[in-house]
């Protein structure tokens, strides 16, 4: 399982790198394209998603985890649709709303499943402590690199959307691999 912790940290680093290089700038541009009501809608919808889906994961964690692979693929699918739409049509309002929905439903479920995955991969208090501290280090390093790259290279908004999509897909593919190893290991130990 220690090897899986490494892959989880790699996923955190890569997604953090792409996220910090793209999302702050994408968010700044999308917020310019929407009214205050959209931003309020974002907060309300995200909080409702957290309340509903975290509650469901607390109650049905094992059942929901069996479908984790499907949730990973759904996020890839909807991200590709979302990012293709914004790159083709350039409608930042649609992107803002659709992104809120994807985040509040699909990504929130991925986060809950990720919590379960971290608990499986790091079952002891000491392992989890090491992982959590290492994850903070990795994410901070990725953020510094991502912001630094964007500050120096100043990519276009189109390139930022491409970076964001690549980061999301890479992260999900790594988690698909980790999930597969966990399921395989569990079947061998039954």
């Amino acid at each position: 399982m220690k090897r899986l912790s490494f892959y989880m940290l790699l996923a955190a680093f890569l997604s953090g790198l792409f996220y910090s290089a793209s999302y702050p700038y994408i968010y700044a541009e999308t917020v310019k394209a929407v009214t205050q009501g959209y931003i309020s809608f974002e907060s309300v919808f995200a909080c409702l998603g957290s309340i509903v889906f975290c509650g469901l994961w607390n109650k049905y964690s094992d059942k929901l985890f069996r479908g984790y692979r499907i949730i990973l693929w759904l996020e890839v699918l909807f991200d590709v649709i979302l990012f293709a739409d914004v790159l083709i049509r350039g409608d930042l309002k649609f992107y803002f709303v659709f992104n809120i929905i994807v985040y509040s439903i699909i990504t929130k479920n991925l986060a809950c499943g990720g919590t379960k995955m971290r608990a499986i991969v790091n079952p002891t208090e000491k392992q989890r402590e090491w992982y959590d501290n290492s994850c903070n280090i990795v994410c901070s390093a990725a953020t510094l690199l991502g912001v630094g790259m964007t500050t120096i290279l100043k990519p276009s908004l189109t390139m930022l959307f491409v970076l964001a999509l690549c980061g999301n897909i890479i992260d999900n593919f790594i988690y698909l691999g980790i999930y597969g190893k966990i399921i395989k290991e569990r079947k061998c130990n039954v």
Side-chain angles (χ1 to χ4, degrees):
M1 290 288 182
K2 193 153 185 103
R3 189 169 165 197
L4 294 181
S5 283
F6 168 78
Y7 288 121
M8 291 176 87
L9 291 172
L10 177 63
F13 176 80
L14 292 173
S15 65
L17 179 68
F18 285 100
Y19 181 86
S20 63
S22 60
Y23 274 114
Y25 307 99
I26 290 171
Y27 192 77
E29 289 301 313
T30 56
V31 167
K32 291 178 193 173
V34 298
T35 63
Q36 185 178 357
Y38 283 82
I39 297 167
S40 297
F41 170 74
E42 176 187 30
S43 297
V44 169
F45 210 70
C47 290
L48 289 174
S50 290
I51 291 166
V52 169
F53 295 114
C54 291
L56 287 172
W57 275 85
N58 280 342
K59 191 168 185 173
Y60 304 108
S61 176
D62 291 335
K63 287 180 182 178
L64 290 169
F65 193 66
R66 283 187 223 124
Y68 194 66
R69 179 179 286 133
I70 293 167
I71 301 167
L72 285 161
W73 279 111
L74 282 173
E75 187 181 56
V76 169
L77 174 67
F78 282 107
D79 278 351
V80 168
I81 292 167
L82 174 63
F83 284 92
D85 179 79
V86 77
L87 291 172
I88 293 167
R89 294 187 320 123
D91 186 347
L92 294 178
K93 282 184 184 178
F94 177 80
Y95 167 82
F96 190 86
V97 172
F98 197 72
N99 190 51
I100 293 166
I101 294 166
V102 169
Y103 171 80
S104 299
I105 297 171
I106 298 171
T107 308
K108 185 50 64 181
N109 276 287
L110 288 181
C112 292
T115 299
K116 180 166 186 69
M117 194 177 283
R118 284 187 296 279
I120 293 167
V121 172
N122 304 289
T124 69
E125 182 180 334
K126 195 72 174 161
Q127 289 171 320
R128 185 61 193 260
E129 179 183 2
W130 177 87
Y131 176 83
D132 288 346
N133 288 332
S134 297
C135 193
N136 284 328
I137 293 166
V138 164
C139 289
S140 293
T143 299
L144 291 171
L145 285 171
V147 170
M149 284 182 348
T150 306
T151 302
I152 293 167
L153 299 176
K154 298 184 184 351
S156 67
L157 186 59
T158 298
M159 181 53 70
L160 292 171
F161 277 110
V162 170
L163 288 173
L165 177 61
C166 289
N168 289 355
I169 289 173
I170 290 168
D171 183 51
N172 283 27
F173 282 159
I174 292 171
Y175 269 86
L176 280 164
I178 295 167
Y179 178 80
K181 298 240 187 246
I182 288 171
I183 296 303
K184 186 177 178 182
E185 170 109 2
R186 285 182 155 191
K187 285 182 181 174
C188 291
N189 292 332
V190 174

